[in-house]
Amino acid sequence: MASGRTPFERNFKIMAQENSGNPTARLLVIVVVALIAFAGGFFVSNMTNKSGNAGDSGSAAVAPSPSGERGTEGDGTALPIGDSFILGKESALVTVVEFSDFQCPFCARGATTMEQLQKKYPDDVKVVFKHYPLPMHPQATPASYAAIAAGNQGKFWEMHDWLFKNQKEIRNHGDDMKEWAGGHAKTLGLDIEKFNKDFDDPKTHQIVKDDMELGGKVAVRGTPHFFVNGERVVGAKPLAAFEEIVEAHLKEAKSLMKGGVARADVYGKMVAKNFDGGKADNKPSAAKPAGPSVEFIPVESNDPVFGNTKDPLVTIVEFSDFQCPFCSKVVPTVKQIKEEYGNEVRFVFKQLPLAMHAEAKPAARASLAADRQGKFWEMHDLLFEKHREFKSKSADFEGYAAGLAEQLGLNVAKFKKDYNDPAIAAQVERDLKLAGKVGARGTPNFWINGVNLRGAQPFPSFKAEIDKQIKLAKELKASKKLSGDDLYKALVEKNKASAPKAPAAPAAPAAKVDVKDLALGNAPILGPKNAPVTIVEYSDFECPYCKRGDASLKEAIADYDGKVKVAFKHYPLPFHKKAPGASKAAMAAGEQGKFWEMHDLLFENQRNLGSDDTYIGYAEKLGLNVEKFKKDLKNPEYQKIIDADMAQGSKVGVRGTPAFFINGERLVGAQPASKFKEAIDRALKEAK
């Protein structure tokens, strides 16, 4: 390159210039360690290295250039990288892996941290990207398709950077992600015809599915989620937390090599040691495991259906919302399924009007009222055609729906009667209840012989699963002599039996940690330094539970007269924007011996946190030297203290606030004073 800079360096410089003063301007250098990919073909192993570079023969991985290569490392380990896009030198001894979501704001923060980490350890850290679009982020999946399509032309990281940089715009492009991202693909000089083809390619969609299924197996329950040489790190942790882990892993990796382990084998050795076997420390989510679920969806006699209603090979059940733009987008795909598969498929429609769409339930009733006159699918198409009008018709939706019924040639009087029939309202509620039972939390949501396919996927995604199910149905039909609903039930059971198993229940954090891992350092102390009981508190001034927990703690220690001291550690959560500033105000007050007084004021006025002027007012109230306080507020060392506290908290398993350690015994959450007293009494007994 004429400039002498890699695309990574150029992008970073450009972003830094465009976002000077904005610490979240970033390049996502996310890294995903993978796993168990060889069985079932979780990763497309035949993708070629687009650069054609042989690389360092002593390395365990292909080191793609920042423009986007695919890895081939570690397919024999418990956490293989597979062919995911990676960034970094192939000789790096530390592999950081992240499961990420382009629509997740915490992933954007994680991207900044990863960029800083890789920049600090350019020779020793490489990163691997795995796609993990969350159900609540409907645009994240197509954004992943865009990144992969760009990656197929060597521009994965450029598209990846652009998506994160324009994250706030992603939500506006649910219907036209391919076109929107394609506009940027043009600026990257990509072949747009190939980009569009790859965006829709089932192989592209399978990559995302495989990454999500992999995430489910290794107990990923949110994003971002990292593995550092197999060691799990959950959430957008600060740079200091990753630096500490990387340093430890580098030391161990070099020790292994001195002991005779080949560089190519270091990764496998360390993953074998560090990976927790798919048992996460974080609390399990109530949501179903990631990846395609398999559920039997009963077909009722009054469900709208087209296709073969008596003896289909494939039953497709759709849960949909007439006011959902993504549901509207999939209508042409449904028609294409009908045209291509005809008598082989039974297509069943279930109502799932989402709470955010006020007119969705009335529209659902209108469709079912039309169904009683044999015109469900005609009304279905018309409602989706007109769905953008619904909000303006909310005052008299019945009258609006009656006009549509008239347009379809229905008996309008009967239509109105049926529209208001409690039985139709009950049918909608029945479908809603069923949706909750089977885990349909968004629309559109499909089950193909029980196999879940989420979102407004293009026809090739449906075709891949339908063709697979037709083959399976023909085999089962011939061997078991089954037909109709008996065949449907048997197919669902067969698919359940072959589906990936759910991850094992995660292990809880240790009830007690070594007090050596809770070094107090220069933390503010409340109580006598020689007290036999030390309580280390990780807290966030913007967290309402921290305020309650602190009140309970103070109530409890009041009864112990000098036997307890409290050390405060700063743990501002990523989504509490005002918390870091409040922590710095408390530290600035601490410079003048008034940390705890400011601490109390901040919690008392928790709803008024924010500007420096607010904190200066509190300083005046406490009788501080205001000029010194103002100067101290800007002290850059305070952020280092926060980062160090958070790194220590992460190491001992802090996953939220408040978190307390009473002579090492973990107590999580805003517990009542009685719980603190019980733990203090145990600590005093042990201290004797």
Side-chain angles (χ1 to χ4, degrees):
M1 300 175 190
S3 67
R5 288 193 176 93
T6 66
F8 174 93
E9 294 167 329
R10 292 199 305 275
N11 286 344
F12 179 71
K13 182 178 180 181
I14 292 168
M15 290 174 67
Q17 291 170 343
E18 291 176 348
N19 296 278
S20 58
N22 179 0
T24 61
R26 68 260 170 208
L27 161 72
L28 180 71
V29 190
I30 297 188
V31 215
V32 190
V33 261
L35 85 203
I36 324 172
F38 57 84
F42 285 143
F43 302 92
V44 184
S45 59
N46 294 323
M47 298 295 290
T48 59
N49 184 325
K50 298 202 173 23
S51 69
N53 294 333
D56 180 356
S57 61
S59 169
V62 173
S65 74
S67 61
E69 306 294 345
R70 293 184 182 274
T72 59
E73 173 188 33
D75 288 332
T77 71
L79 293 166
I81 290 170
D83 71 333
S84 297
F85 291 100
I86 68 173
L87 183 68
K89 290 189 176 181
E90 61 180 284
S91 57
L93 290 173
V94 177
T95 299
V96 185
V97 183
E98 182 179 355
F99 288 81
S100 188
D101 169 319
F102 284 112
Q103 206 174 347
C104 162
F106 303 108
C107 294
R109 296 180 191 179
T112 302
T113 303
M114 289 299 99
E115 182 273 324
Q116 292 170 342
L117 186 71
Q118 208 277 335
K119 186 177 180 181
K120 181 167 184 177
Y121 299 94
D123 297 322
D124 295 319
V125 171
K126 63 176 175 284
V127 301
V128 184
F129 190 94
K130 298 287 183 187
H131 303 268
Y132 203 81
L134 301 175
M136 68 189 75
H137 293 151
Q139 290 80 38
T141 297
S144 283
Y145 298 163
I148 295 167
N152 289 344
Q153 298 185 54
K155 297 288 185 178
F156 175 87
W157 295 104
E158 287 84 346
M159 180 62 75
H160 153 289
D161 299 346
W162 181 79
L163 287 166
F164 271 108
K165 183 178 178 182
N166 294 279
Q167 189 177 68
K168 291 182 180 179
E169 292 296 317
I170 288 179
R171 65 191 306 173
N172 300 323
H173 294 281
D175 290 332
D176 65 346
M177 180 63 70
K178 181 168 63 175
E179 293 75 15
W180 180 59
H184 185 62
K186 288 182 180 179
T187 68
L188 294 175
L190 303 187
D191 179 335
I192 298 304
E193 183 176 351
K194 175 172 171 52
F195 175 85
N196 291 337
K197 182 180 179 181
D198 288 348
F199 185 100
D200 292 331
D201 193 331
K203 290 180 181 178
T204 296
H205 305 165
Q206 193 63 43
I207 289 170
V208 178
K209 291 178 184 177
D210 289 346
D211 282 358
M212 292 186 70
E213 193 154 0
L214 175 61
K217 286 182 175 293
V218 296
V220 172
R221 296 186 175 84
T223 56
H225 201 110
F226 304 84
F227 293 88
V228 183
N229 278 0
E231 181 177 346
R232 186 186 302 272
V233 182
V234 181
K237 295 290 189 288
L239 177 63
F242 284 97
E243 287 175 341
E244 184 176 352
I245 296 170
V246 166
E247 290 289 349
H249 281 264
L250 277 175
K251 183 178 179 180
E252 185 174 356
K254 290 174 182 178
S255 176
L256 286 172
M257 291 179 66
K258 285 182 180 179
V261 176
R263 179 180 286 271
D265 296 331
V266 168
Y267 177 72
K269 290 280 186 184
M270 296 194 72
V271 168
K273 175 181 179 292
N274 297 319
F275 180 55
D276 58 18
K279 296 181 179 181
D281 287 342
N282 54 317
K283 188 176 180 181
S285 166
K288 290 183 176 293
S293 62
V294 181
E295 297 283 352
F296 175 73
I297 315 292
V299 180
E300 306 293 344
S301 59
N302 57 355
D303 283 333
V305 179
F306 71 69
N308 188 336
T309 60
K310 294 183 179 180
D311 189 23
L313 295 175
V314 179
T315 294
I316 302 175
V317 180
E318 175 187 11
F319 284 87
S320 190
D321 170 318
F322 286 109
Q323 204 170 355
C324 163
F326 308 108
C327 299
S328 174
K329 183 179 179 181
V330 85
V331 170
T333 302
V334 172
K335 290 181 178 179
Q336 193 172 352
I337 290 170
K338 182 178 182 180
E339 292 168 1
E340 182 153 333
Y341 289 98
N343 208 41
E344 293 177 305
V345 166
R346 168 175 60 173
F347 195 99
V348 184
F349 189 96
K350 300 276 189 181
Q351 308 283 352
L352 182 51
L354 301 176
M356 68 185 76
H357 294 151
E359 291 73 45
K361 271 192 179 182
R365 285 167 30 216
S367 71
L368 295 174
D371 189 41
R372 290 189 176 179
Q373 297 187 52
K375 291 289 183 77
F376 172 83
W377 294 104
E378 291 83 348
M379 180 62 83
H380 164 281
D381 293 351
L382 194 54
L383 287 167
F384 276 124
E385 181 185 328
K386 305 284 188 182
H387 76 275
R388 289 185 175 87
E389 300 177 357
F390 287 4
K391 284 186 179 181
S392 65
K393 308 298 182 182
S394 59
D396 182 20
F397 198 87
E398 179 182 347
Y400 171 69
L404 298 180
E406 185 175 10
Q407 186 176 330
L408 293 174
L410 302 183
N411 179 325
V412 175
K414 174 174 171 48
F415 174 87
K416 286 184 176 180
K417 181 180 178 181
D418 291 335
Y419 176 88
N420 291 298
D421 188 341
I424 279 183
Q427 185 175 345
V428 175
E429 295 303 320
R430 176 205 72 189
D431 286 356
L432 276 165
K433 185 176 180 180
L434 176 62
K437 183 178 179 181
V438 300
R441 296 178 177 85
T443 55
N445 227 313
F446 301 86
W447 272 264
I448 304 172
N449 279 356
V451 178
N452 187 215
L453 182 66
R454 291 174 290 180
Q457 306 281 359
F459 178 73
S461 296
F462 284 90
K463 180 175 175 57
E465 188 62 46
I466 293 170
D467 288 346
K468 175 183 173 183
Q469 292 301 320
I470 287 175
K471 181 180 178 182
L472 180 62
K474 287 179 178 178
E475 292 172 355
L476 204 57
K477 193 176 181 71
S479 62
K480 301 290 186 181
K481 308 300 180 186
L482 298 173
S483 62
D485 279 344
D486 290 337
L487 176 61
Y488 171 44
K489 290 177 184 177
L491 285 164
V492 173
E493 289 306 310
K494 182 77 173 176
N495 287 323
K496 278 187 177 181
S498 60
K501 303 302 179 185
K512 195 165 185 176
V513 303
D514 192 331
V515 292
K516 292 179 182 178
D517 292 330
L518 295 165
L520 303 187
N522 294 321
I525 302 293
L526 181 66
K529 292 184 177 180
N530 62 349
V533 176
T534 299
I535 300 177
V536 180
E537 173 185 3
Y538 292 88
S539 190
D540 170 319
F541 285 111
E542 198 175 349
C543 164
Y545 304 104
C546 294
K547 179 179 179 180
R548 296 179 201 171
D550 185 74
S552 294
L553 174 62
K554 285 182 178 176
E555 181 185 343
I557 64 176
D559 293 339
Y560 288 90
D561 192 25
K563 295 179 180 179
V564 177
K565 68 174 179 283
V566 178
F568 188 94
K569 297 284 186 176
H570 302 272
Y571 205 91
L573 299 174
F575 46 87
H576 286 155
K577 306 290 188 184
K578 301 173 184 177
S583 282
K584 292 172 184 177
M587 285 187 269
E591 302 282 0
Q592 300 183 52
K594 293 289 182 77
F595 174 87
W596 292 102
E597 290 83 351
M598 180 64 80
H599 163 284
D600 293 348
L601 266 180
L602 291 168
F603 275 133
E604 287 171 16
N605 298 277
Q606 192 173 62
R607 295 185 178 181
N608 297 318
L609 302 179
S611 68
D612 286 355
D613 288 343
T614 299
Y615 303 136
I616 291 167
Y618 295 161
E620 291 174 347
K621 188 174 181 179
L622 294 174
L624 302 183
N625 179 326
V626 174
E627 290 306 313
K628 175 174 171 51
F629 179 83
K630 288 180 181 179
K631 181 180 179 181
D632 289 337
L633 266 182
K634 307 298 183 184
N635 190 340
E637 294 301 313
Y638 292 166
Q639 186 59 51
K640 294 180 182 179
I641 292 171
I642 293 171
D643 289 345
D645 284 356
M646 293 189 74
Q648 184 189 69
S650 176
K651 184 176 179 180
V652 296
V654 174
R655 299 288 182 266
T657 56
F660 305 88
F661 294 86
I662 304 169
N663 276 9
E665 180 181 339
R666 187 187 307 271
L667 188 65
V668 178
Q671 302 286 352
S674 60
K675 290 292 184 182
F676 284 99
K677 289 180 179 180
E678 290 172 7
I680 292 170
D681 288 341
R682 284 193 292 272
L684 285 171
K685 187 176 180 180
E686 292 174 3
K688 288 181 179 179

